[in-house]
């Protein structure tokens, strides 16, 4: 897969709606890609997308490596339909209410209804009010319908996603759009699966696009239990470098994926990733994480009798907004690294890792 | 042994030193052990017709993680586990496996404005100084992601008191270790767990693996029997014996099991107290909710200035706890 | 027994989280003639099984209620207390609390400059003891107490009591168990769970043990129909709510659709619920093992977690009908459930 293909996949994944709990469209888009490069694609009981790629190991040497990226994105949900055709809403996942006024949205009702998050014009606000944040419960969506018509199309509990066409920026290296957290991770898995069609691998590989990460790693909890892999690597995004953000919490775009270090990760597996990157001349950064990584890795590590787990993160700026921005090269080096790690994984290497 | 255990450094996620220490003792005594993927040390002792009960104590302690190296050679850090950042300025730490010494510096009082002194230091304004000239020199000794532990030495103080770090929960570890090394004919499973301080991570996996019917968590808990604290707010008192938990933020201890513990103590004339606060969590919660549910209780040794380089506990509380746990095991054979 | 009588008996029972025995004994007495199997587990969850072919449905309502726990007894016999579940110290001042022994106490606060200062460390429980010694004869550290308020019918069909959360759900389950006769299209296991108020604890182990194919919780929910209430499209008396979301679960779309279809087919009025805070047993059930597609029926309830929780008979009756019809219908297969 070349860079253009990857960009194309990411642009498609980013423009598809898939807020937590309503990921079907995004899953469908990812599914068609995974089926090109893997042996079997299915949904588990929770709805997680599972793509299996068989390894060459004989039955006695079998092992499974799970690569997991969540496919859900943050969004909103209708809580009430107000007279005048306005919708009240709550958030799905962590959303900064300050970034909402003026956003274009689509309500996934019986009919899809477009709208905008309304805001009082600055002219009508006192200077004091303008200095304040509008709290979540004061915000509303204007659909342009009267409430009777709207009631036919929309119900309480319908999900709402953001409208934002992704864009390849002028340099051809950086992409901006919504839901790059974590369609970037999903794209990296697809890229990895494509890379592996040209490599031999012993381990059975299990690519998971997990649901409901943004509301509490929920898909990962059940996927880890159900699949019982021998090893797992979570692929997610981390904060990119932004002016004014503490350097220790942000990573440079274009300098390669960030590899997690800390209690949430199996130290030998994390080191094996770093080692693999060095051997294949792939750039990476080290991300120290003192406790909860806030990713699916947290759920995988303690599933059943414990799963050695590592984390690879794509640096991304402006997380949880509709203008998330990343460097496509980080995705490529991340995908390659995962493929190389997968290709070298076998029972004896696993034994070495576990023995540490 | 408590002195040796407490002086070892084992910040959550980096428990090797304590695990190896315990492993050595157990191996020397020819006790069979296993280590799971999380790093928990699991030990089965004796043979029993019943499903053996589980004892658990965590090996990890709170500490710091190096997050970045400044151009100046100073090290930025984040806490690992619950640390009151007000205790940090002016303490010594040991970094990494080699125990590189460093201090946590802060702006001297002379250079502070009057109103600055009224507020605690902001965590972002603190750093570790290990004497490096610049980031290049620091990079030779320290890597981002290294752990730093409190630097203090176990000491006996006053009349029967101990001072040191990490009584939470090396005291618990020692209770388990002693019961494993003793020739007491008891059958039970012991879990020396990892990562308790960042969310009882190890215990979740250990309890799933061991599948006990009943479990007793041996912990250290906060005591505030100190000047300026109302009696009703002291939580536990040093010298009144180990504390039986009734409830914490993770568990409602079954009445049956805590009454069982109290009864054993009373019969043996062992002093005990109830833990008189309900906040903070323990491994009890996650163990109790493992698989189809596990009958679980928590017994804790009172400890002043917990989660600091210098906690204080009382020898007699430890000894009573050891006897009480043993009494419980005897009853559960 | 009418639903109202069941509700009165259950709400007046003692059962703070961790000590649900009295409630579970009452329930056993109410359902034992209509159950194929009844058993309890380590934590105190009560399982009532109605046999059937095909998949297994677990229906959960929690028995526990919010309460307090004694943390200290002083020389003068006053008790210091801490919360069991989400209960506000302000709402306790002047309230009567009841221990399992029947002992009654009342809550008041120390001298305060401002009401704002009032927190758990400032209130105490007076049980009428003269001193430490007499207090310890009737109460020990670690004893629990619940609110003490009788069940009242405010007006016809409008019920007020403590612990409607979630004895109302328990009453609905009891009623449905006693109404269902004969073999069901799938096995139904009614779980009266413990320690929900402390974090959905009972439902977690119960679901692990029972391994259901589907989960349903029956619990109360908040309403938005009171003066200047938070925005919420649920009102009292407009039928039970079919849950879409709370902070513990996004209900499985197929289960939710199935519930809506059954309600529509049977002309059962219902509301859709998006609860922005609080969780329910479905949250624990749906993450059990490999995942359990789950939903929830919610009974609209005013003043949740106070001594005077209010529900409406209409909502209860229709919740019973909806649950009964759901269990008499054949549930959809689990394959391909997730697509829109």
């Amino acid at each position: 897969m070349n860079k253009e293909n990857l960009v194309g996949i990411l642009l498609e994944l980013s423009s598809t709606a898939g807020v937590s709990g309503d990921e079907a469209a995004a899953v469908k888009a990812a599914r068609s890609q995974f089926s090109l490069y893997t042996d079997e694609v299915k949904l588990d009981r929770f709805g997680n997308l599972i793509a299996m790629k068989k390894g060459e190991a004989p039955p006695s040497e079998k092992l499974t490596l799970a690569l997991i990226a969540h496919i859900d994105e943050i969004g909103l949900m209708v809580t009430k339909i107000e007279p005048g055709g306005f919708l009240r809403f709550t958030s799905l996942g962590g959303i900064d209410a300050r970034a909402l006024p003026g956003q274009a949205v689509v309500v996934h009702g019986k009919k899809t209804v477009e709208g905008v998050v309304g805001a009082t014009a600055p002219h009508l606000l006192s200077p004091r009010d303008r200095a304040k944040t509008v709290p979540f419960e004061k915000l509303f969506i204007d659909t342009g319908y009267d409430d009777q018509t709207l009631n036919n199309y929309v119900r309480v509990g319908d999900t709402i996603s953001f409208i934002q066409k992704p864009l390849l920026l002028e340099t051809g290296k950086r992409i901006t759009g919504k839901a790059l957290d974590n369609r970037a991770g999903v794209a990296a898995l697809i890229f990895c699966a494509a890379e592996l069609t040209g490599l031999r691998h012993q381990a059975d590989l299990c690519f998971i696009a997990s649901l409901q990460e943004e509301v509490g790693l929920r898909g990962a909890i059940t996927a880890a239990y159900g699949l019982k892999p021998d090893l797992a690597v979570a692929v997610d995004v981390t904060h990119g470098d932004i002016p004014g953000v503490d350097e220790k919490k942000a990573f440079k775009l274009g300098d390669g994926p960030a590899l997690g270090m800390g209690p949430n990760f199996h130290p030998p597996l994390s080191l094996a990733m770093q080692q693999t990157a060095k051997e294949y001349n792939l750039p990476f950064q080290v991300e120290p994480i003192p406790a909860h990584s806030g990713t699916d890795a947290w759920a995988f590590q303690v599933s059943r009798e414990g799963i050695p787990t590592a984390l690879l993160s794509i640096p991304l700026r402006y997380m949880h907004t509709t203008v998330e921005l990343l460097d496509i090269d980080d995705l490529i080096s991340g995908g390659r690294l995962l493929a190389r790690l997968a290709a070298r994984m076998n029972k004896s290497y696993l034994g070495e890792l576990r023995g540490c | 042994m408590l002195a040796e255990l407490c002086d070892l450094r084992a910040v959550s996620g980096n428990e090797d030193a304590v695990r190896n220490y315990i492993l050595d003792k157990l191996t020397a005594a020819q006790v069979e052990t296993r280590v799971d993927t999380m790093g928990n040390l699991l030990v089965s002792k004796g043979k029993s017709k019943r499903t053996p009960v589980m004892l658990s104590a965590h090996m990890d302690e709170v500490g710091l993680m190096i997050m970045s190296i400044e151009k100046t050679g100073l090290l930025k850090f984040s806490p690992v586990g619950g640390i009151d950042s007000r205790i940090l300025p002016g303490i010594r730490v040991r970094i990494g496996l080699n125990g590189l010494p460093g201090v946590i510096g802060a702006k001297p009082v002379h250079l502070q404005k009057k109103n600055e002194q009224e507020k605690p230091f902001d965590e972002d304004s603190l750093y570790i100084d290990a004497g490096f000239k610049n980031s290049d020199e620091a990079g030779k000794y320290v890597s981002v992601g290294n752990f730093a532990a409190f630097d203090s030495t176990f000491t006996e103080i006053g009349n029967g008191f101990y001072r040191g770090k990490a009584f939470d929960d090396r005291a618990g570890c020692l209770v388990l270790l002693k019961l494993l090394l003793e020739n007491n004919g008891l059958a039970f499973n012991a879990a020396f767990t990892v990562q308790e301080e960042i969310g009882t991570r190890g215990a979740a996996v250990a309890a799933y693996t061991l599948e006990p019917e009943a479990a007793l968590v041996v912990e250290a808990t906060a005591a505030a029997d100190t000047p300026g604290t109302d009696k009703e707010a002291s939580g536990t008192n040093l010298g009144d014996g180990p504390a039986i938990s009734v409830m914490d933020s993770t568990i409602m201890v079954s009445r049956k099991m805590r009454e069982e513990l109290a009864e054993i103590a009373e019969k043996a004339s062992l002093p005990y107290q109830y833990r008189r606060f309900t906040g903070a969590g323990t491994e009890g919660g996650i163990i109790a909710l493992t698989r189809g549910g596990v009958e679980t209780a928590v017994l804790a040794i009172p400890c002043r200035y917990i989660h600091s380089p210098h906690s204080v506990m009382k020898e007699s509380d430890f000894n009573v706890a050891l006897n009480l746990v043993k009494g419980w095991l005897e009853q559960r054979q | 027994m009418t639903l109202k009588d069941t509700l009165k008996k259950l709400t007046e029972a003692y059962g703070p989280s961790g000590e649900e025995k009295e409630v579970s004994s009452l329930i056993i007495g109410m359902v034992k003639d209509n159950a194929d199997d009844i058993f309890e587990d380590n934590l105190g969850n009560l399982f009532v099984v109605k046999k059937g072919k095909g998949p297994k449905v677990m229906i959960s309502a929690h028995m526990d209620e919010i309460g307090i726990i004694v943390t200290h007894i002083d020389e003068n016999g006053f008790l210091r207390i801490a919360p069991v579940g989400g209960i506000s110290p302000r709402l306790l001042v002047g309230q009567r609390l009841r221990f399992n022994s029947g002992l009654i106490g009342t809550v008041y606060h120390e001298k305060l400059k401002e009401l704002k200062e009032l927190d758990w460390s400032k209130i105490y429980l007076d049980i009428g003891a003269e001193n430490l010694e007499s207090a310890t004869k009737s109460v020990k550290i670690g004893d629990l107490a619940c609110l003490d308020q009788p069940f009242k019918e405010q007006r016809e069909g409008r019920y007020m009591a403590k612990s409607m959360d979630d004895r109302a759900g328990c009453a609905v389950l009891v009623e449905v168990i006693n109404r269902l006769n004969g073999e069901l299209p799938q096995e139904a296991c009614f779980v009266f769970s413990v320690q929900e108020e402390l974090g959905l604890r009972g439902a977690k182990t119960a679901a692990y043990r029972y391994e259901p194919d589907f989960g349903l919780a029956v619990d109360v929910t908040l309403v938005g129909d009171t003066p200047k209430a938070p925005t919420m499209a649920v009102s009292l008396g407009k039928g039970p709510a079919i849950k879409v979301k709370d902070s513990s679960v996004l209900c499985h779309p197929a289960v939710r659709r199935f519930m809506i279809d059954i309600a529509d087919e049977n002309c059962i009025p219902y509301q859709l619920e998006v609860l922005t805070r609080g969780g329910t047993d479905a949250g624990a059930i749906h993450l059990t093992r490999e995942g359990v597609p789950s939903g929830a029926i919610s009974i609209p309830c005013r003043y949740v977690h106070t001594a005077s929780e209010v529900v409406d008979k209409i909502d209860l009756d229709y919740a019973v009908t909806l649950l009964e019809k759901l269990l008499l219908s054949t549930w959809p297969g689990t394959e391909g459930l997730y697509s829109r």
Side-chain angles (χ1 to χ4, degrees), chain A residues 225 246-249 261-264 266-267 286 288-292 297-299 301-308 354, chain B residues 12-13 36-38 65-68 71 76-80 124 144-145 147 195 198-199 201 204-205 208-209 291:
Chain A
Y225 187 95
D246 192 346
E247 259 182 59
K248 74 181 181 189
K249 288 174 187 150
M261 284 279 281
N264 189 185
H266 195 59
V286 174
I289 302 177
H292 196 329
W298 190 251
Q301 187 190 21
V302 295
S303 186
R304 292 190 187 241
E305 299 183 7
I307 299 169
R354 289 203 160 186
Chain B
S12 311
D36 69 13
T37 75
M38 289 289 290
M65 182 185 261
I66 308 298
M67 299 297 284
S68 66
K71 286 197 185 76
K76 289 291 214 181
F77 61 84
S78 282
V80 178
D124 285 337
V144 163
F147 293 94
Q195 300 190 19
I198 59 167
R201 305 275 292 165
V205 169
Y208 186 91
T209 306
R291 295 189 189 243

Side-chain angles (χ1 to χ4, degrees), chain A residues 255-319:
Chain A
D255 278 9
L259 305 183
M261 284 279 281
N264 189 185
F265 317 112
H266 195 59
L269 181 60
S270 300
L271 290 175
M273 278 218 295
Q274 292 189 19
Q275 189 58 35
T276 308
K278 282 178 194 155
E279 279 171 33
Y280 289 94
N281 251 332
L282 296 164
F284 68 93
Q285 311 177 58
V286 174
E287 180 176 14
I289 302 177
H292 196 329
S293 65
T295 69
D296 285 343
W298 190 251
F300 264 72
Q301 187 190 21
V302 295
S303 186
R304 292 190 187 241
E305 299 183 7
I307 299 169
T309 302
L311 173 68
L312 179 149
S313 301
I314 309 293
L316 169 123
R317 290 181 184 153
Y318 326 119
M319 197 182 289

Side-chain angles (χ1 to χ4, degrees), chain B residues 49-87:
Chain B
K49 277 180 202 152
R50 296 176 62 178
T51 312
V53 296
M54 166 179 169
L55 297 183
S56 109
H58 66 90
M59 297 184 288
D60 63 315
E61 62 186 292
V62 296
L64 309 170
M65 182 185 261
I66 308 298
M67 299 297 284
S68 66
I69 301 173
E70 305 282 283
K71 286 197 185 76
T72 53
L74 299 173
L75 313 170
K76 289 291 214 181
F77 61 84
S78 282
V80 178
I83 293 184
D84 179 350
S85 58
R86 289 174 302 179
I87 66 147

Side-chain angles (χ1 to χ4, degrees), chain A residues 156-226:
Chain A
V156 168
D158 286 344
T159 57
I160 304 164
S161 61
F162 296 104
I163 302 177
Q164 179 75 289
K165 210 169 164 258
L167 186 68
L168 184 64
L169 296 175
E170 200 59 30
T171 58
K173 289 179 78 166
R174 293 190 171 179
I175 287 182
T176 175
K178 71 160 181 75
L180 294 177
D181 172 6
N182 181 33
R183 304 293 153 71
V186 176
L189 291 198
I190 294 167
F191 184 83
C192 166
E195 285 281 295
L196 280 160
T197 54
L199 296 170
R200 301 184 64 171
H201 57 96
Q202 296 288 304
D204 287 342
L205 304 176
C206 179
F207 299 91
I208 307 165
S210 64
L211 310 186
Q212 300 191 23
E213 188 268 357
E214 298 288 2
V215 289
L217 322 179
R218 293 183 191 157
I221 291 171
T222 60
Y225 187 95

Side-chain angles (χ1 to χ4, degrees), chain C residues 78-213:
Chain C
F78 293 101
L79 315 182
R80 295 289 171 161
I81 56 179
V84 174
I87 183 167
S88 159
R90 293 189 192 192
L91 293 174
L92 277 183
V93 174
Q95 282 292 343
R96 291 175 192 180
L97 295 174
R98 184 169 92 233
F99 288 87
N100 203 10
S101 59
L103 177 73
I104 300 282
T106 185
V107 177
Y108 203 67
H109 55 76
E110 300 170 358
K111 190 176 124 198
L112 301 171
K113 280 199 198 101
E114 284 178 280
L115 201 57
K116 263 202 288 191
E117 292 175 351
L118 196 150
D119 64 16
W120 286 98
S121 71
K122 300 284 195 303
I123 63 172
Y124 58 86
L125 181 60
D126 183 343
I127 52 163
E130 283 163 7
N131 52 37
L132 178 62
E133 209 190 359
S134 85
T136 44
K137 276 188 192 136
S138 42
V139 172
K140 281 212 276 293
I141 289 174
D143 280 356
L144 304 181
C146 67
L147 291 159
D148 184 51
Q149 283 283 355
F151 176 93
K152 293 281 180 194
E153 187 160 20
Q154 224 181 344
R155 64 165 167 78
E156 203 191 335
R158 192 55 74 86
Y159 307 134
M160 180 188 273
K162 73 163 182 69
S163 70
M164 284 294 185
D165 175 8
D166 182 29
R167 307 288 160 72
C170 294
V172 168
L173 265 58
V174 167
E175 185 74 12
V176 170
I177 293 169
N178 289 332
R179 276 204 204 178
L180 289 172
N181 292 310
E183 192 165 295
L184 299 174
Q186 51 271 313
E187 183 167 300
C189 179
F190 298 83
V191 174
F192 297 90
S193 66
V194 298
Q195 300 191 27
E196 190 269 358
E197 300 290 358
L198 299 178
L200 323 179
R201 292 183 190 163
K204 187 172 184 239
T205 57
Y208 187 92
R209 170 159 181 173
Y210 181 64
E211 289 193 68
D213 296 292

Side-chain angles (χ1 to χ4, degrees), chain B residues 146-161:
Chain B
N146 278 168
F147 293 94
F150 296 138
D151 182 16
S152 71
T153 310
F154 180 94
T155 318
E156 290 186 40
I157 60 168
N159 196 0
F161 289 85

Side-chain angles (χ1 to χ4, degrees), chain B:
Chain B
M1 276 206 282
L2 189 60
E4 287 171 350
L5 270 170
C6 290
D7 286 353
L8 294 170
R9 294 182 296 276
V11 178
S12 311
N14 193 27
E15 295 85 354
D16 305 56
V18 172
R19 184 172 50 242
N20 290 338
Y21 177 90
I22 298 171
L23 266 172
D24 286 348
K25 298 279 177 207
L26 292 172
T27 314
Q30 292 178 320
V31 180
E32 210 174 302
T33 59
R34 61 189 153 140
V35 178
D36 69 13
T37 75
M38 289 289 290
N40 296 310
L41 172 57
L42 308 178
V43 192
S44 298
K45 181 181 165 82
K47 287 221 167 63
S48 152
K49 277 180 202 152
R50 296 176 62 178
T51 312
V53 296
M54 166 179 169
L55 297 183
S56 109
H58 66 90
M59 297 184 288
D60 63 315
E61 62 186 292
V62 296
L64 309 170
M65 182 185 261
I66 308 298
M67 299 297 284
S68 66
I69 301 173
E70 305 282 283
K71 286 197 185 76
T72 53
L74 299 173
L75 313 170
K76 289 291 214 181
F77 61 84
S78 282
V80 178
I83 293 184
D84 179 350
S85 58
R86 289 174 302 179
I87 66 147
L88 291 177
I91 67 163
R92 268 161 68 160
V93 296
R94 294 271 178 177
I95 308 160
L97 293 178
N98 298 328
L100 191 82
V103 299
I104 297 183
K107 202 198 250 187
V109 63
H110 319 75
L111 305 179
Q112 292 177 17
K113 294 192 193 93
K114 197 141 199 163
N115 60 359
E116 277 182 83
Q117 290 172 35
E118 286 161 15
K119 271 184 290 176
F121 283 105
D122 174 8
E123 208 174 275
D124 285 337
S125 68
L126 298 172
Y127 46 83
I128 296 172
D129 189 338
F132 301 123
K133 274 201 304 247
N134 52 39
S135 58
D136 287 344
E137 191 180 66
K140 285 180 202 150
Y141 298 90
V142 179
S143 307
V144 163
N146 278 168
F147 293 94
F150 296 138
D151 182 16
S152 71
T153 310
F154 180 94
T155 318
E156 290 186 40
I157 60 168
N159 196 0
F161 289 85
Y162 299 143
R163 188 191 75 193
K165 72 169 178 66
F167 294 143
D168 173 13
D169 182 28
R170 303 293 153 68
C173 289
L174 187 58
V175 168
L176 268 58
L177 184 57
K178 283 193 170 227
L179 291 168
L180 286 169
L181 293 174
E182 264 180 21
N183 190 8
N184 50 25
L186 295 169
F188 63 98
N189 286 326
F192 297 91
T193 61
V194 298
Q195 300 190 19
E196 190 272 348
E197 298 290 356
I198 59 167
T200 65
R201 305 275 292 165
V205 169
Y208 186 91
T209 306
L210 293 173
E211 281 192 77
E213 271 170 15
L216 179 61
V217 177
V218 188
E219 256 287 10
T221 193
D225 51 338
T226 50
T229 305
D230 290 335
K231 228 176 166 185
E232 67 265 19
S234 69
T236 59
N237 298 348
L238 262 57
D240 285 0
I244 299 173
S245 283
V246 290
M247 177 189 180
D248 66 34
S249 67
T250 61
I251 187 172
M252 177 67 80
V253 177
S254 81
R255 180 177 282 269
K256 182 171 146 254
M257 197 153 158
R258 68 175 148 85
E259 282 176 356
E260 181 185 345
L261 284 168
E263 209 173 287
I264 294 166
E266 275 160 25
K267 269 193 196 148
S269 304
L270 298 171
Y272 71 94
Q273 56 188 318
Y274 285 107
R275 184 176 177 270
R276 296 181 300 281
F277 64 110
T278 58
T282 59
E283 296 180 333
I286 198 99
I287 295 171
L289 299 185
T290 300
R291 295 189 189 243
V294 179
E295 192 190 5
T296 307
V298 184
L299 187 72
I301 295 160
C303 183
R304 293 180 194 148
Y305 331 119
I306 203 164
H307 287 201
S308 88
H310 303 287
S311 344
V312 171
M313 61 173 268
K314 198 165 186 203
E315 185 184 7
S316 62
D317 293 333
F318 174 86
N319 292 332
V320 176
L322 181 65
N323 285 323
L324 185 47
V325 174
K326 192 170 168 183
W328 181 73
L329 287 176
E330 280 162 359
Q331 192 143 322
R332 292 280 184 148
Q333 290 303 299

